[in-house]
Amino acid sequence: MNRAGSKRLLIAAPKSGSGKTTITCALLEHLQRKGLNPCSFKCGPDYIDPMFHNKVLGIDSRNLDSFFSSEDQIREAIANCSSEYVVIEGVMGLYDGLSPAGIHGSAYEIASITQTPILLVVDASGVGRSVLSLIKGMLLDDPNRLIRGVLLNNITKGFYEKLKPVLLQELYGIREDLHLCGYFPKTENIRVGSRHLGLMLPGEVTDVKEKIRESRELLESSCDMTQILSVMESAAAPEESAAKKKRNAASDFAVVETLSQTQKGPVLAVARDDAFCFYYRENLALFEQNGITIQYFSPITDPCIPTQADGLLLG
């Protein structure tokens, strides 16, 4: 019997802006079209990237945040997902966390906690052999040997073919378990714009689903998808939580006391539309688990706040 999250991959990069979200969405759509019913997660405190995952899967992406959650809770999130195929998008650079002195809060910490193999997406635009030095440096900081695949982004087919034999010879000389999975071509028409808060929201991107479809087709045509799936399947079985029974989320976070079964819970009006959309799904679920009824409304289109609301949340 296949376990939830038994085939998984963390997509990371040396820095922000390397194309993690594009590759993540392309891979999610590939898995979905194969009928593999994937789940997705995002490392760290990020609200926008999960919205793009939702555009592909039609379900909420979840966050894996080692600042707010314990290691057991992070492992349980993987074990409790609805699919054996899991794609996790990293945050910032692979080793970037709360402090330059360590990896706490980083995508690498999440990969280490969950024992998830990493696909390293490297922006190879504007460099030549130097990209090899960059990859070698990333491997030096990988004591758990979790980086199992490399994908070069923003590169032409011709230049990739010139680099490929050099990369294979020198990288395999360092790590025999490392796979060169292919490249993603430089394409302006599928780029998602950025601003001071990060990526533009999905609703602000023209033809976002078409861009994701094009990204998936490019990924399939320029990468070895069988090899990428093989890297996913190399993941170790998810570890059992130290707490062998499910714990109530309210006791984990110690936020509010559970309401009695006979007491009717309060109504929380939650603003949710294109302007108010920065929420952790976990936080909303925590309200519901403690007897609070959530009623969504739009400050943009609704004439007033729901009259029966006892509280108001503006995300």
Side-chain angles (χ1 to χ4, degrees), residues 164-205:
K164 184 177 178 179
V166 180
L167 288 168
L168 288 173
Q169 180 180 355
E170 298 204 23
L171 292 181
Y172 284 7
I174 300 172
R175 288 268 300 272
E176 293 181 357
D177 59 347
L178 189 66
H179 302 283
L180 185 60
C181 296
Y183 73 100
F184 196 85
K186 185 180 297 185
T187 48
E188 289 296 326
N189 60 314
I190 63 170
R191 289 191 62 186
V192 177
S194 299
R195 55 188 176 191
H196 67 287
L197 292 176
L199 293 176
M200 295 172 64
L201 300 182
E204 299 171 320
V205 179

Short mmCIF file of all heavy atoms in Angstrom, two decimals, residues 164-205:
data_model
loop_
_atom_site.label_atom_id
_atom_site.label_comp_id
_atom_site.label_asym_id
_atom_site.label_seq_id
_atom_site.Cartn_x
_atom_site.Cartn_y
_atom_site.Cartn_z
N LYS A 164 26.09 20.35 -21.19
CA LYS A 164 25.65 19.06 -20.64
C LYS A 164 26.79 18.06 -20.40
O LYS A 164 26.92 17.52 -19.29
CB LYS A 164 24.58 18.45 -21.55
CG LYS A 164 24.00 17.15 -21.01
CD LYS A 164 22.90 16.64 -21.94
CE LYS A 164 22.33 15.32 -21.43
NZ LYS A 164 21.24 14.83 -22.31
N PRO A 165 27.67 17.78 -21.38
CA PRO A 165 28.73 16.79 -21.12
C PRO A 165 29.69 17.22 -20.03
O PRO A 165 30.19 16.38 -19.26
CB PRO A 165 29.44 16.66 -22.48
CG PRO A 165 29.07 17.88 -23.25
CD PRO A 165 27.70 18.28 -22.78
N VAL A 166 29.95 18.53 -19.93
CA VAL A 166 30.84 19.03 -18.88
C VAL A 166 30.19 18.86 -17.52
O VAL A 166 30.82 18.40 -16.55
CB VAL A 166 31.19 20.51 -19.13
CG1 VAL A 166 32.11 21.03 -18.03
CG2 VAL A 166 31.83 20.69 -20.50
N LEU A 167 28.91 19.22 -17.44
CA LEU A 167 28.17 19.08 -16.18
C LEU A 167 28.11 17.63 -15.75
O LEU A 167 28.34 17.30 -14.57
CB LEU A 167 26.76 19.66 -16.33
CG LEU A 167 26.65 21.18 -16.43
CD1 LEU A 167 25.25 21.58 -16.87
CD2 LEU A 167 26.99 21.83 -15.10
N LEU A 168 27.80 16.73 -16.69
CA LEU A 168 27.69 15.32 -16.35
C LEU A 168 29.01 14.77 -15.81
O LEU A 168 29.04 14.08 -14.78
CB LEU A 168 27.26 14.52 -17.59
CG LEU A 168 25.81 14.70 -18.05
CD1 LEU A 168 25.57 13.98 -19.37
CD2 LEU A 168 24.83 14.19 -17.00
N GLN A 169 30.09 15.11 -16.49
CA GLN A 169 31.39 14.59 -16.07
C GLN A 169 31.81 15.10 -14.70
O GLN A 169 32.22 14.33 -13.83
CB GLN A 169 32.45 14.95 -17.11
CG GLN A 169 33.85 14.44 -16.75
CD GLN A 169 34.89 14.82 -17.79
OE1 GLN A 169 34.57 15.38 -18.83
NE2 GLN A 169 36.14 14.50 -17.53
N GLU A 170 31.69 16.41 -14.50
CA GLU A 170 32.22 16.99 -13.26
C GLU A 170 31.26 16.80 -12.08
O GLU A 170 31.72 16.56 -10.96
CB GLU A 170 32.53 18.46 -13.49
CG GLU A 170 33.60 18.67 -14.55
CD GLU A 170 34.33 19.98 -14.40
OE1 GLU A 170 34.34 20.54 -13.29
OE2 GLU A 170 34.88 20.46 -15.40
N LEU A 171 29.96 16.91 -12.31
CA LEU A 171 29.02 16.75 -11.19
C LEU A 171 28.93 15.30 -10.74
O LEU A 171 28.89 15.00 -9.54
CB LEU A 171 27.64 17.27 -11.57
CG LEU A 171 27.54 18.79 -11.77
CD1 LEU A 171 26.11 19.18 -12.13
CD2 LEU A 171 27.98 19.54 -10.52
N TYR A 172 28.91 14.38 -11.69
CA TYR A 172 28.85 12.97 -11.32
C TYR A 172 30.13 12.52 -10.64
O TYR A 172 30.13 11.54 -9.89
CB TYR A 172 28.57 12.10 -12.55
CG TYR A 172 27.13 12.15 -13.02
CD1 TYR A 172 26.21 13.03 -12.45
CD2 TYR A 172 26.68 11.33 -14.04
CE1 TYR A 172 24.90 13.09 -12.89
CE2 TYR A 172 25.36 11.38 -14.50
CZ TYR A 172 24.48 12.27 -13.91
OH TYR A 172 23.18 12.33 -14.35
N GLY A 173 31.23 13.24 -10.92
CA GLY A 173 32.48 12.94 -10.21
C GLY A 173 32.41 13.30 -8.74
O GLY A 173 33.14 12.74 -7.92
N ILE A 174 31.51 14.23 -8.40
CA ILE A 174 31.33 14.64 -7.01
C ILE A 174 30.26 13.79 -6.32
O ILE A 174 30.43 13.33 -5.20
CB ILE A 174 30.93 16.13 -6.93
CG1 ILE A 174 32.01 17.00 -7.57
CG2 ILE A 174 30.68 16.56 -5.50
CD1 ILE A 174 31.60 18.46 -7.71
N ARG A 175 29.14 13.62 -7.03
CA ARG A 175 27.99 12.92 -6.45
C ARG A 175 27.38 11.98 -7.49
O ARG A 175 26.76 12.42 -8.45
CB ARG A 175 26.93 13.95 -6.02
CG ARG A 175 27.29 14.78 -4.79
CD ARG A 175 26.77 14.12 -3.52
NE ARG A 175 25.33 14.00 -3.60
CZ ARG A 175 24.48 14.95 -3.21
NH1 ARG A 175 24.93 16.09 -2.73
NH2 ARG A 175 23.18 14.76 -3.30
N GLU A 176 27.54 10.70 -7.28
CA GLU A 176 27.01 9.73 -8.25
C GLU A 176 25.49 9.66 -8.22
O GLU A 176 24.87 9.16 -9.16
CB GLU A 176 27.60 8.34 -7.96
CG GLU A 176 29.09 8.24 -8.23
CD GLU A 176 29.64 6.86 -7.96
OE1 GLU A 176 28.85 6.00 -7.50
OE2 GLU A 176 30.84 6.64 -8.20
N ASP A 177 24.88 10.11 -7.12
CA ASP A 177 23.42 10.05 -7.00
C ASP A 177 22.74 11.32 -7.53
O ASP A 177 21.54 11.50 -7.36
CB ASP A 177 23.02 9.82 -5.54
CG ASP A 177 23.52 10.93 -4.61
OD1 ASP A 177 24.38 11.73 -5.03
OD2 ASP A 177 23.04 10.99 -3.46
N LEU A 178 23.51 12.20 -8.17
CA LEU A 178 22.97 13.45 -8.69
C LEU A 178 22.57 13.29 -10.15
O LEU A 178 23.31 12.70 -10.94
CB LEU A 178 24.02 14.56 -8.55
CG LEU A 178 23.56 15.99 -8.83
CD1 LEU A 178 22.55 16.45 -7.80
CD2 LEU A 178 24.76 16.94 -8.84
N HIS A 179 21.39 13.83 -10.52
CA HIS A 179 20.89 13.70 -11.88
C HIS A 179 20.75 15.07 -12.54
O HIS A 179 20.22 16.01 -11.92
CB HIS A 179 19.52 13.01 -11.89
CG HIS A 179 19.54 11.65 -11.25
ND1 HIS A 179 20.04 10.53 -11.89
CD2 HIS A 179 19.13 11.24 -10.02
CE1 HIS A 179 19.92 9.49 -11.10
NE2 HIS A 179 19.38 9.88 -9.95
N LEU A 180 21.21 15.19 -13.75
CA LEU A 180 20.96 16.38 -14.55
C LEU A 180 19.64 16.14 -15.29
O LEU A 180 19.57 15.32 -16.21
CB LEU A 180 22.11 16.60 -15.54
CG LEU A 180 22.04 17.88 -16.37
CD1 LEU A 180 22.03 19.12 -15.48
CD2 LEU A 180 23.20 17.94 -17.35
N CYS A 181 18.60 16.84 -14.87
CA CYS A 181 17.24 16.53 -15.33
C CYS A 181 16.83 17.29 -16.58
O CYS A 181 15.75 17.03 -17.12
CB CYS A 181 16.24 16.80 -14.20
SG CYS A 181 16.50 15.73 -12.78
N GLY A 182 17.63 18.25 -17.03
CA GLY A 182 17.30 18.97 -18.25
C GLY A 182 17.37 20.47 -18.06
O GLY A 182 18.04 20.98 -17.16
N TYR A 183 16.67 21.17 -18.93
CA TYR A 183 16.70 22.63 -18.91
C TYR A 183 15.30 23.17 -19.17
O TYR A 183 14.40 22.45 -19.62
CB TYR A 183 17.68 23.15 -19.97
CG TYR A 183 17.17 23.02 -21.39
CD1 TYR A 183 16.62 24.11 -22.06
CD2 TYR A 183 17.22 21.79 -22.06
CE1 TYR A 183 16.13 23.98 -23.36
CE2 TYR A 183 16.74 21.66 -23.35
CZ TYR A 183 16.19 22.75 -23.99
OH TYR A 183 15.70 22.63 -25.26
N PHE A 184 15.14 24.44 -18.87
CA PHE A 184 13.88 25.14 -19.17
C PHE A 184 14.26 26.36 -20.01
O PHE A 184 15.07 27.18 -19.58
CB PHE A 184 13.17 25.57 -17.90
CG PHE A 184 11.73 25.94 -18.09
CD1 PHE A 184 10.74 24.97 -18.09
CD2 PHE A 184 11.36 27.26 -18.30
CE1 PHE A 184 9.41 25.30 -18.26
CE2 PHE A 184 10.03 27.60 -18.49
CZ PHE A 184 9.05 26.62 -18.47
N PRO A 185 13.70 26.47 -21.22
CA PRO A 185 14.16 27.53 -22.14
C PRO A 185 13.78 28.93 -21.67
O PRO A 185 12.83 29.12 -20.92
CB PRO A 185 13.45 27.17 -23.45
CG PRO A 185 12.26 26.38 -23.04
CD PRO A 185 12.66 25.62 -21.81
N LYS A 186 14.55 29.88 -22.15
CA LYS A 186 14.28 31.29 -21.86
C LYS A 186 13.04 31.72 -22.64
O LYS A 186 13.02 31.69 -23.88
CB LYS A 186 15.48 32.14 -22.26
CG LYS A 186 15.37 33.61 -21.90
CD LYS A 186 16.61 34.37 -22.32
CE LYS A 186 17.84 33.87 -21.59
NZ LYS A 186 19.04 34.68 -21.91
N THR A 187 11.98 32.09 -21.94
CA THR A 187 10.72 32.48 -22.58
C THR A 187 10.12 33.65 -21.83
O THR A 187 9.85 33.56 -20.65
CB THR A 187 9.71 31.32 -22.58
OG1 THR A 187 9.66 30.75 -21.25
CG2 THR A 187 10.10 30.24 -23.55
N GLU A 188 9.92 34.75 -22.54
CA GLU A 188 9.38 35.96 -21.91
C GLU A 188 7.86 35.89 -21.73
O GLU A 188 7.31 36.46 -20.78
CB GLU A 188 9.73 37.19 -22.76
CG GLU A 188 11.20 37.57 -22.71
CD GLU A 188 11.67 37.99 -21.33
OE1 GLU A 188 10.87 38.59 -20.59
OE2 GLU A 188 12.82 37.68 -20.99
N ASN A 189 7.16 35.17 -22.61
CA ASN A 189 5.70 35.24 -22.60
C ASN A 189 5.05 34.52 -21.43
O ASN A 189 3.86 34.69 -21.17
CB ASN A 189 5.13 34.68 -23.91
CG ASN A 189 5.50 33.24 -24.13
OD1 ASN A 189 6.66 32.86 -23.97
ND2 ASN A 189 4.55 32.42 -24.53
N ILE A 190 5.81 33.67 -20.69
CA ILE A 190 5.21 32.98 -19.56
C ILE A 190 5.75 33.48 -18.22
O ILE A 190 5.43 32.94 -17.17
CB ILE A 190 5.41 31.46 -19.65
CG1 ILE A 190 6.91 31.11 -19.60
CG2 ILE A 190 4.75 30.89 -20.89
CD1 ILE A 190 7.16 29.63 -19.46
N ARG A 191 6.55 34.52 -18.25
CA ARG A 191 7.08 35.06 -17.00
C ARG A 191 5.99 35.72 -16.19
O ARG A 191 5.10 36.37 -16.72
CB ARG A 191 8.18 36.10 -17.28
CG ARG A 191 9.48 35.50 -17.80
CD ARG A 191 10.58 36.52 -17.79
NE ARG A 191 10.86 36.99 -16.43
CZ ARG A 191 11.70 37.99 -16.16
NH1 ARG A 191 12.32 38.62 -17.13
NH2 ARG A 191 11.90 38.35 -14.92
N VAL A 192 6.08 35.54 -14.86
CA VAL A 192 5.15 36.19 -13.94
C VAL A 192 5.86 37.39 -13.33
O VAL A 192 6.94 37.26 -12.76
CB VAL A 192 4.70 35.22 -12.83
CG1 VAL A 192 3.79 35.94 -11.83
CG2 VAL A 192 3.97 34.02 -13.44
N GLY A 193 5.25 38.56 -13.46
CA GLY A 193 5.89 39.78 -12.97
C GLY A 193 5.99 39.82 -11.45
O GLY A 193 5.26 39.15 -10.74
N SER A 194 6.91 40.64 -10.96
CA SER A 194 7.12 40.80 -9.52
C SER A 194 6.96 42.25 -9.13
O SER A 194 6.96 43.15 -9.96
CB SER A 194 8.52 40.31 -9.13
OG SER A 194 8.69 38.95 -9.43
N ARG A 195 6.82 42.46 -7.82
CA ARG A 195 6.79 43.81 -7.26
C ARG A 195 7.33 43.71 -5.84
O ARG A 195 7.90 42.69 -5.46
CB ARG A 195 5.36 44.35 -7.29
CG ARG A 195 4.34 43.48 -6.60
CD ARG A 195 2.94 43.97 -6.84
NE ARG A 195 1.98 43.07 -6.25
CZ ARG A 195 0.68 43.15 -6.48
NH1 ARG A 195 0.20 44.07 -7.29
NH2 ARG A 195 -0.15 42.31 -5.91
N HIS A 196 7.13 44.75 -5.02
CA HIS A 196 7.79 44.77 -3.71
C HIS A 196 7.32 43.67 -2.78
O HIS A 196 8.04 43.25 -1.89
CB HIS A 196 7.60 46.14 -3.05
CG HIS A 196 6.20 46.45 -2.66
ND1 HIS A 196 5.23 46.76 -3.60
CD2 HIS A 196 5.59 46.47 -1.46
CE1 HIS A 196 4.08 46.99 -2.99
NE2 HIS A 196 4.27 46.82 -1.69
N LEU A 197 6.10 43.15 -2.97
CA LEU A 197 5.59 42.08 -2.11
C LEU A 197 5.90 40.70 -2.66
O LEU A 197 5.54 39.70 -2.06
CB LEU A 197 4.07 42.22 -1.94
CG LEU A 197 3.59 43.42 -1.14
CD1 LEU A 197 2.06 43.48 -1.15
CD2 LEU A 197 4.10 43.34 0.29
N GLY A 198 6.53 40.61 -3.81
CA GLY A 198 6.80 39.32 -4.42
C GLY A 198 6.14 39.23 -5.78
O GLY A 198 6.07 40.22 -6.51
N LEU A 199 5.66 38.05 -6.12
CA LEU A 199 5.02 37.87 -7.41
C LEU A 199 3.70 38.62 -7.48
O LEU A 199 3.05 38.87 -6.47
CB LEU A 199 4.74 36.37 -7.65
CG LEU A 199 5.95 35.46 -7.83
CD1 LEU A 199 5.48 34.01 -7.95
CD2 LEU A 199 6.77 35.84 -9.04
N MET A 200 3.29 38.95 -8.70
CA MET A 200 1.94 39.45 -8.90
C MET A 200 0.96 38.35 -8.53
O MET A 200 1.27 37.16 -8.59
CB MET A 200 1.74 39.86 -10.36
CG MET A 200 2.61 41.03 -10.81
SD MET A 200 2.51 41.33 -12.61
CE MET A 200 0.77 41.81 -12.75
N LEU A 201 -0.26 38.73 -8.11
CA LEU A 201 -1.27 37.75 -7.77
C LEU A 201 -1.77 37.05 -9.02
O LEU A 201 -1.77 37.64 -10.11
CB LEU A 201 -2.43 38.41 -7.03
CG LEU A 201 -2.08 39.13 -5.73
CD1 LEU A 201 -3.35 39.70 -5.10
CD2 LEU A 201 -1.38 38.20 -4.75
N PRO A 202 -2.23 35.80 -8.91
CA PRO A 202 -2.72 35.08 -10.09
C PRO A 202 -3.80 35.83 -10.85
O PRO A 202 -3.83 35.80 -12.09
CB PRO A 202 -3.25 33.77 -9.50
CG PRO A 202 -2.47 33.57 -8.25
CD PRO A 202 -2.23 34.95 -7.71
N GLY A 203 -4.68 36.52 -10.11
CA GLY A 203 -5.76 37.25 -10.76
C GLY A 203 -5.28 38.44 -11.57
O GLY A 203 -6.01 38.98 -12.41
N GLU A 204 -4.03 38.87 -11.32
CA GLU A 204 -3.47 40.01 -12.04
C GLU A 204 -2.67 39.59 -13.27
O GLU A 204 -2.21 40.43 -14.02
CB GLU A 204 -2.56 40.81 -11.09
CG GLU A 204 -3.28 41.36 -9.88
CD GLU A 204 -2.33 41.95 -8.86
OE1 GLU A 204 -1.26 41.34 -8.62
OE2 GLU A 204 -2.65 43.00 -8.30
N VAL A 205 -2.48 38.28 -13.43
CA VAL A 205 -1.69 37.77 -14.55
C VAL A 205 -2.63 37.39 -15.69
O VAL A 205 -3.54 36.58 -15.53
CB VAL A 205 -0.88 36.53 -14.12
CG1 VAL A 205 -0.07 36.00 -15.30
CG2 VAL A 205 0.05 36.89 -12.96
#
